[in-house]
Each structure stands twice: as structure tokens, then as C-alpha cells.
Amino acid sequence: MTQVIGIDLGGTAIKLGRFSEDGICHQSLTVPTPQPATPEAVLATMTDAILQLNPVENAVSAIGIGTPGPADAAGRIARVAINLKNWHNVPLADWVEAKTGLPTMLANDANCAGLGEAWLGAGRHFKDLILITLGTGVGGAVILDGKLFVGHQGAAGELGLITINPDGPECNSGNRGSLEQYVSVQAIRRETGLEPVELANLAKSGDAKALEYWQNYGRYLGIGLASLIYILTPEAIIIGGGISAGSEFFLPQVREEIERRVLPSSREDLQLLVAELGNQAGMVGAAKLAWQLAQ
């Protein structure tokens, strides 16, 4: 029975899994990302790990890789990789194919997380959905008719960079007042001096200021999602990333804001869900990418 390998390439760890078409992970492996994480060093580490997961000839038919930054539309080139050294237009798919002889495809890690949730996670019952990842930054993925939408240059789905306040804080993207500036880990630290988990624990204990903060947080997130709903009318929005662990404190406000701002015709039967796969989502989605190649 043929299988594929999904790889989630991160700044500190590389996660790999060998999957069959029904989504069962038959073997997984996590190896430290080499430091400094130059393209050559990462390729060598990744190749060794792939050989450990694919010891039998012809057991694996394709490889998918999620990278921490944009890939080109064809899924061949890692254009930039955040927290990795000297990554600029690296032809990673070609390199891995040359080393392994297996067809290989890349996608941005948030896009892989979206594919993972759509395949085996909270989005498995829907064809049209959005994943928004609330972490150090705010990323996302758009799945339309069951397929990842990346746009003509491969950079679509930067959901955290839409503007919600034209005069808000400056963003690394060059924008001002982007959604990321209100709902990322960095935004929470800037506003409160606390980590999201600390703020969630305070809210659990009934702290009035923490509860009020999360209500405002939910309002900002709802405002951002309202724009996306009008454009994409998804069946489901899946909230992922580390901050989603505190979703009980902000999701009610998100729902309220969406109901206030979005016409019923654009949000009919819309489901607002929390991601289910945690930090495995990227690896699972990379495997789904590989299955798209293998078929």
C-alpha cells in the first residue's frame, strides 16, 4: 500500500510523518532544525530523516513540505523562510526530488495547517473554509471547493494583514492597523504585558480586567472576519494557533460581532470552530499536499 511523507519545517524542529490515503499516520519523527538553519544544512537533515521514514523501496510515492514563509504558486520554491538563515528563492522541491527520487511539493506552513484541518481536523465536513492562525503573527489559509487557494503568485491567504484600522499600529508588512496588530501574541504582550496563557488563566479565575480584554479581543477578531466572510462566504471558520486555547473567552464576542456586521445571506449556517490538530496540523496538511501529487 503506497504512502506519502508530510514534513513541517520549523525554526526549531522538523516534523515528519508517513501517511496512508485514509489519513492514518503510520510513523512520525521529529528532529531538531540544524543551527544555523541554512538551506544546505536543512536539506541534509531532512534527507536523513526521510530515509529513516522510508526504509523500504517504493513504499512512499510523494513528499509534501510546509515551509515558514511563502512558496511560489507551483509549490517548487521557498521564496523566503522566516527564522531560517539565508533562505531566498530556494528550489527546495527540486533539491529534495534530486536526493530522494520522489515528487515533492511545497506550501506555506499556514496553508498546510489549513489543508490539515480540512482533511482530518475541524474542517473535514466542509468544502469551503477559512483557517486563521492566532500566534506570534496571524496567518491563514483559504480552502475553496476542497482545494487550497494560493492565488496566481502563491501568496494568497495572508488573512492577518487585512486592515481594520487605517491609523493603527505599524505592521512589518508596511501596513498600519492590520488585524495582526490587534489579535497576535505580540499585540497581547504590547497591550497587557502578559502572555496569552497568563491572560486566559486570569480570565478563568474571574479577573474582570482579563475578561474585558478578551471581549475586546473578540470584537477585533470579529471585525476582521466580517470582511473575509463577505468576500468568501465560507461554510466554516476555524480558529487555530496558540491563542485558540483561550477561545472560550473571546469566541462569543466574535460571533456577536459577525452577527452585527454581516448580512444573514452571507453568513447562513456559518460554523465558527476551534482547530483540532494542534501542532500536528502542518505535517498532516503537508501529507495532503503530497497526496494531491501522488494521485
Side-chain angles (χ1 to χ4, degrees):
M1 181 178 61
T2 185
Q3 296 172 359
V4 300
I5 290 176
I7 303 175
D8 182 13
L9 169 58
T12 56
I14 303 171
K15 298 189 197 79
L16 305 91
R18 182 161 47 80
F19 290 80
S20 48
E21 201 171 354
D22 55 9
I24 291 172
C25 181
H26 294 270
Q27 191 184 350
S28 63
L29 179 66
T30 299
V31 295
T33 306
Q35 304 300 336
T38 60
E40 296 75 13
V42 166
L43 178 69
T45 300
M46 207 183 269
T47 305
D48 287 347
I50 289 166
L51 288 173
Q52 287 181 58
L53 275 193
N54 186 26
V56 184
E57 190 93 8
N58 300 326
V60 168
S61 59
I63 295 171
I65 305 173
T67 63
D72 68 324
R76 310 293 305 162
I77 295 166
R79 289 163 67 182
V80 189
I82 296 141
N83 297 327
L84 304 182
K85 191 175 171 63
N86 298 338
W87 284 67
H88 186 68
N89 291 328
V90 174
L92 187 60
D94 289 350
W95 288 4
V96 171
E97 285 179 355
K99 291 279 188 188
T100 64
L102 294 169
T104 301
M105 191 172 187
L106 317 177
N108 163 274
D109 53 5
N111 281 341
C112 282
L115 268 180
E117 289 291 341
W119 184 27
L120 301 178
R124 62 190 174 277
H125 303 302
F126 309 101
K127 304 237 3 166
D128 296 309
L129 61 105
I130 295 168
L131 170 80
I132 190 155
T133 55
L134 306 171
T136 308
V138 174
V142 177
I143 310 283
L144 299 176
D145 197 26
K147 296 182 181 67
L148 184 63
F149 175 72
V150 297
H152 72 292
Q153 297 282 8
E158 288 290 357
L159 308 184
L161 300 184
I162 63 169
T163 305
I164 63 169
N165 176 3
D167 304 312
E170 280 186 27
C171 181
N172 290 338
S173 65
N175 193 5
R176 292 190 79 98
S178 62
L179 181 60
E180 184 169 279
Q181 294 305 306
Y182 292 89
V183 297
S184 64
V185 171
Q186 288 170 328
I188 290 173
R189 286 175 185 153
R190 187 181 67 232
E191 291 290 318
T192 67
L194 298 169
E195 296 296 315
V197 66
E198 294 174 302
L199 210 55
N201 287 336
L202 281 172
K204 273 194 185 84
S205 71
D207 183 89
K209 271 196 168 164
L211 288 164
E212 186 186 356
Y213 179 83
W214 283 120
Q215 283 206 319
N216 279 328
Y217 179 96
R219 180 168 175 263
Y220 284 125
L221 183 53
I223 290 167
L225 292 177
S227 298
L228 299 172
I229 293 164
Y230 272 127
I231 297 162
L232 296 165
T233 60
E235 296 170 89
I237 295 173
I238 297 165
I239 312 283
I243 298 173
S244 67
S247 61
E248 64 190 286
F249 301 112
F250 61 81
L251 270 191
Q253 198 66 39
V254 173
R255 280 198 184 89
E256 209 172 291
E257 208 60 41
I258 287 170
E259 283 170 13
R260 182 181 297 130
R261 291 173 181 270
V262 180
L263 285 167
S265 54
S266 294
R267 58 174 164 83
E268 196 173 346
D269 297 328
L270 174 68
Q271 302 285 306
L272 204 53
L273 305 166
V274 178
E276 292 176 4
L277 299 179
N279 63 10
Q280 301 299 301
M283 178 180 77
V284 171
K288 181 63 175 171
L289 206 61
W291 273 117
Q292 290 174 359
L293 264 185
Q295 285 162 344

